[in-house]
Each structure stands twice: as structure tokens, then as C-alpha cells.
Amino acid sequence: LAPQAVVDCFPKISPSLIQGNQEDAHEFLRGAIDAMQKSIPQNDPDRFQEYPFSLFAGGLQSCVRCTSCKKSSIRIDPIEDLQLNIDRTNTLEAALASLTRKESLTGDNAYECDHCKRKTDAFRSSSLSKIPPILSIQLKRFSFNRRRGTKITHFVQYPEILDLSEFMQKEKGKGKKKHKPAIANLFAVVVHIG
């Protein structure tokens, strides 16, 4: 496949992909997947079970637990890729741990509890509820503060075989809750230079 044939398809893939402009590989991938998804008729009842939906569809569970009433609010958001902050980490596993780390919601950032009918302290955590057959992970290349973005240039280590079990939602069963087993094999890496 000649690169020019792909470049000529940019307008069909995504209007934001313009020949001659510097584009991100992740933007190209997202545009290509979105274009494939749009090609499936909206009225198809099996739309979300078909390619490419079935290959990239996963889930990220968010759980907020009120410290007053101990009730939890759980939401599962569909994901087609993971975007991970790497500004304070140098391994893929540490970036995933940061994504799934328990966070305290207090003070100005307190939680509006539906059960207590007021703002309360709470804990929020995230976990992967479903891993798609193809998990696309984007490492965010910029760190932003109030004034500007800074390019992240440090090395990030990633394994060929990634055990995602500790980042998965826990399964209920007899005795202690366990993480769902989940192993991912590295298939490809794209490094953006420039």
C-alpha cells in the first residue's frame, strides 16, 4: 500500500486530517475507527456487536462512595482507548495505577450525595470493567498547568505482556473479592517524533 493512497483518503477518514499538517497517530487511528463505525447503518440492531465496535469496545467503571451514608454511586462509561497521564510516571503500570488510584473528595471538591441530600466527603475510584480485544493506549505527551502546556520527553517503560488484573473491577464471589484476570499482549507501538 503506497502512503499516498492513504493520504488521499484523509478527507474521507476525518475532516480534521489535512495533508501537509502535522497530525498525531492517535488522531489518525481514532478518525479511521470512527469512519468505519459510521459505515455501519444506524438502524442495524447488531451495530455494537459488529466490527469495528466489537474490537475496540471496553468499559471504565467509576465508583464514588459517600463516607457518611456508605452508599456507592457506580457508573460504567464505554471506552475505545485509554489516555494515560505520564507526567509523573516512567512505566505504563504506574500510569495505569494513577488512573485507578482512590481519590479523596473533600472541601470544595466534596461529593453531592443523592442519598444524604447534601455535600459530603467521599472517595472516588476507577477500574476497568471490560478490556476490548484490541486495547489502544495513548500516553499523553503534554502536561498542562495554568499558563501553558509542556511537552513530556522522558522515557516510559512498557512490557510486552501486560497484566491488567489489578486495574480491573473486582469480581464478587465466595470470600474476598478478586480482580478479574486480564492479560494483554503488546501488538504495536507508535512513537510520535516532532
Side-chain angles (χ1 to χ4, degrees), residues 2-14 17-19 28:
Q4 190 58 48
V6 174
V7 171
D8 291 344
C9 290
F10 278 2
K12 293 177 186 170
I13 294 171
S14 173
L17 296 173
I18 300 169
Q19 186 173 350
F28 175 79

Side-chain angles (χ1 to χ4, degrees), residues 60-126:
L60 184 66
Q61 177 177 293
S62 174
C63 177
V64 179
R65 183 173 172 87
C66 176
T67 59
S68 295
C69 68
K70 309 295 187 223
K71 299 275 186 198
S72 294
S73 170
I74 296 173
R75 186 181 80 227
I76 297 177
D77 291 314
I79 59 166
E80 292 185 335
D81 54 21
L82 283 176
Q83 296 184 17
L84 300 177
N85 289 319
I86 57 167
D87 56 335
R88 294 188 182 106
T89 63
N90 59 3
T91 68
L92 182 60
E93 293 94 330
L96 284 161
S98 179
L99 174 73
T100 58
R101 184 173 292 126
K102 188 182 280 190
E103 175 186 7
S104 181
L105 303 176
T106 61
D108 291 341
N109 197 28
Y111 171 62
E112 186 72 44
C113 180
D114 289 338
H115 188 261
C116 296
K117 306 290 188 219
R118 62 182 173 86
K119 283 198 170 241
T120 64
D121 291 347
F123 290 104
R124 176 175 48 206
S125 61
S126 295

Side-chain angles (χ1 to χ4, degrees), residues 150-168:
T150 305
K151 194 171 196 176
I152 299 169
T153 59
H154 66 264
F155 176 79
V156 176
Q157 186 176 356
Y158 49 87
E160 286 187 44
I161 298 173
L162 177 63
D163 185 354
L164 293 162
S165 301
E166 69 180 279
F167 312 113
M168 294 294 296

